[in-house]
Structures are given as structure tokens and as C-alpha cells.
Amino acid sequence: MNPIIESLYETKHAENADGELMAIEPASILPEDGNMLYSLVRQHADGRSLEIGLAFGLAALYMCQGHIDNGGGHHTAIDPYQEKWFKQCGTLNVERLGFAESFTFLQQRTHEALPALFRDGERFNVVFLDGNHRFEYIMHDFFYASRMLEVGGHLMLHDPWMPSTRKATSFILRNLHDEFSLYEPALGKPPSFAGSLYAFIQLAMKNPYDLGTARIFSTRRFNNYIVFEKTSEYDIEHCDIHWDFYQPF
Ligand SMILES: C[S@@+](CC[C@H](N)C(=O)[O-])C[C@H]1O[C@@H](n2cnc3c(N)ncnc32)[C@H](O)[C@@H]1O
């Protein structure tokens, strides 16, 4: 992997615009998450990627490295706190990687940035959602990002240990299965029947009102991310008329 990424994980610190070192934990993704992002980008030659939540730039480095190894591509990142919380470490790291010319950074909240990207007709092949983790923000970000995702493209949600991410996943699997399916290579080995039952009981005890989500998360083994593949583009007019097929999630 790239020496900049290696050094960030080794030292656990990133250098900010004032030359000070900032601890990259606990805000940053883990190397295994980055490796999956890298492999997703590698599947889309000359692709365009979008990331929500740049932070210290770990995911961006993996994704941009994927574009570099593909021989071309473009990365867009959104983060309202890049200056305030991260003192530009993320954008600086992308510069240090030598990818600044093919990188667009928007220091905005997603509810400001995403509608503008959509209006401008942007399309992406890989999307990583790791911004505000409240349910309504995940769904907002997913709504816009999924509309801009090409068919055959991949979208990763981070942190399925959070109830909000689990609920969003459950919604997508229960109600958008015509458009999105789980990307199998991102899943772990399925649990045994006993393991699955044990996990179901644990989850059901934690939240007895959320058995549908418990079933989804006990029968599959997820990493700290969930990857969806977009399998078709829905007919927008059909979607504007029909509403009565929704399943509880
Ligand atoms: C867990 S960190 C992201 C870690 C990062 N993806 C990485 O590669 O290590 C969450 C990020 O979401 C950003 N964020 C918070 N609220 C946001 C919002 N409304 N829109 C976009 N990003 C947001 C934070 O500033 C922070 O950088």
C-alpha cells in the first residue's frame, strides 16, 4: 500500500496545515475498510468516486490510490468540518498523494452539497457514506448518492454497529431490492445456524421492536461496512405514482 497510508496507521497521527500532529483515531476508518474501498475503485476504470466525511483523509487516500492504479479517475469529498475539526489534514493528505488535480473538495453539509451535485448532472461509480450517522442523514445521503450512482456501481455504508446504519440497511434490503443488492464479496463467511440464532437472540433482546433488522444482521456476517451494488435504475415516474408496496423495515 502507499507509504503515506502506511505511515498514518503506523504513527496514528496526521500532520495538519500548521505542522502539528493530530491523532487520527477514533475518527478514521480501519485498513480493512480502506482495502475494500480500494478494490471497489479498482473495478471502475477511469471512474468517479464520491465520499461523504473526509476527516483525516484515510478513505480518500485508498480511493485516490485506486484511481492512480487505474491510470485515471476523479474523487469528490464532502465535509463541513475539514477546517474546523481536522485542520485540513484530509485535503493535505490527498495533495501529498499527488492527486489534487483530480480531486474536488466541498466544505459543506451534505444537504447543501448533494442537491447541487445532482443538479449539475454528476454521476459516480463508487460512493462511500461516512458522514453524519443519524438515520435521517444516512437516508438523505443515500437518496442523493444512489440517484447519482451508475448502474453497476457500488455504494458503501460505514458502521453497521450503529442502529441507524442497520435500520437504513434494512430499509434498502426490504424496499429497494429491485435497484440494490448486497455485494457478496464484501460479506464475511455466513454464520452457522447456532451462531445465527445466538446473534438473533442477542439483537432481539437489545431491541425487541426491531426483529426484521435483527434477522438481517444475524443471518449474515458483515464487516464494519456494507456494500450495495446498484443493479438497475428505477423509472422515476413509476416511483412518483406507486407507493403501496412498502414492507416494514
Ligand atoms: C467518522 S468520520 C469519517 C472518517 C473518514 N471517512 C475516514 O476515511 O477516516 C465522520 C465525518 O463526517 C463528517 N460530517 C459530519 N456531519 C456531516 C454532514 N452533515 N455532512 C457531511 N459530512 C459530515 C465529519 O466532519 C467527519 O469528518
Side-chain angles (χ1 to χ4, degrees):
M1 198 25 80
N2 183 284
I4 299 175
I5 300 177
E6 264 168 18
S7 141
L8 285 166
Y9 283 122
E10 222 171 84
T11 63
K12 299 187 189 325
H13 284 82
E15 192 179 329
N16 69 24
D18 301 323
E20 295 156 354
L21 293 180
M22 296 178 73
I24 63 165
E25 290 175 349
S28 298
I29 60 159
L30 296 175
E32 52 264 36
D33 312 346
N35 284 329
M36 177 50 68
L37 284 166
Y38 172 82
S39 78
L40 293 175
V41 170
R42 290 288 275 140
Q43 291 179 39
H44 302 278
D46 205 17
R48 297 183 72 78
S49 52
L50 169 70
E51 170 191 18
I52 291 167
L54 177 66
F56 293 103
L58 271 302
L61 288 171
Y62 279 98
M63 295 171 90
C64 294
Q65 185 63 49
H67 290 307
I68 291 170
D69 295 345
N70 280 343
H74 188 276
H75 187 64
T76 299
I78 302 170
D79 196 326
Y81 298 109
Q82 182 55 204
E83 214 171 308
K84 191 169 180 192
W85 294 353
F86 302 99
K87 307 285 177 212
Q88 287 152 358
C89 283
T91 49
L92 279 171
N93 278 332
V94 175
E95 269 174 41
R96 289 171 186 135
L97 188 73
F99 200 70
E101 279 185 15
S102 304
F103 175 60
T104 303
F105 172 65
L106 303 167
Q107 185 151 278
Q108 291 166 0
R109 291 190 173 77
T110 47
H111 62 269
E112 296 152 348
L114 289 175
L117 290 174
F118 180 75
R119 247 192 332 266
D120 290 348
E122 277 287 355
R123 303 291 290 173
F124 299 100
N125 307 95
V126 180
V127 171
F128 180 41
L129 301 189
D130 192 21
N132 182 321
H133 284 66
R134 289 178 183 228
F135 175 76
E136 66 275 26
Y137 277 80
I138 296 175
M139 288 312 300
H140 168 274
D141 295 351
F142 175 82
F143 179 84
Y144 276 98
S146 65
R147 301 274 54 79
M148 292 188 275
L149 190 67
E150 300 281 10
V151 172
H154 296 99
L155 182 146
M156 184 193 274
L157 296 184
H158 205 238
D159 298 316
W161 60 272
M162 291 189 184
S164 53
T165 308
R166 287 171 184 261
K167 206 67 189 156
T169 301
S170 176
F171 173 79
I172 297 164
L173 290 178
R174 295 278 284 155
N175 288 296
L176 302 180
H177 44 77
D178 286 349
E179 225 189 333
F180 288 94
S181 61
L182 278 177
Y183 178 62
E184 298 283 335
L187 292 171
K189 211 169 118 246
S192 63
F193 177 74
S196 175
L197 186 65
Y198 177 75
F200 181 81
I201 293 168
Q202 294 271 350
L203 290 166
M205 275 167 39
K206 234 188 219 167
N207 189 348
Y209 300 104
D210 204 6
L211 299 183
T213 309
R215 199 175 65 79
I216 289 170
F217 281 87
S218 59
T219 49
R220 297 170 184 86
R221 191 160 284 145
F222 293 98
N223 295 293
N224 196 24
Y225 50 79
I226 295 169
V227 182
F228 294 99
E229 184 166 328
K230 184 163 170 176
T231 52
S232 70
E233 191 82 65
Y234 69 36
D235 172 354
I236 194 89
E237 202 171 323
H238 180 271
C239 169
D240 286 339
I241 297 168
H242 296 280
W243 54 270
D244 53 353
F245 57 86
Y246 275 101
Q247 297 296 321
F249 61 95

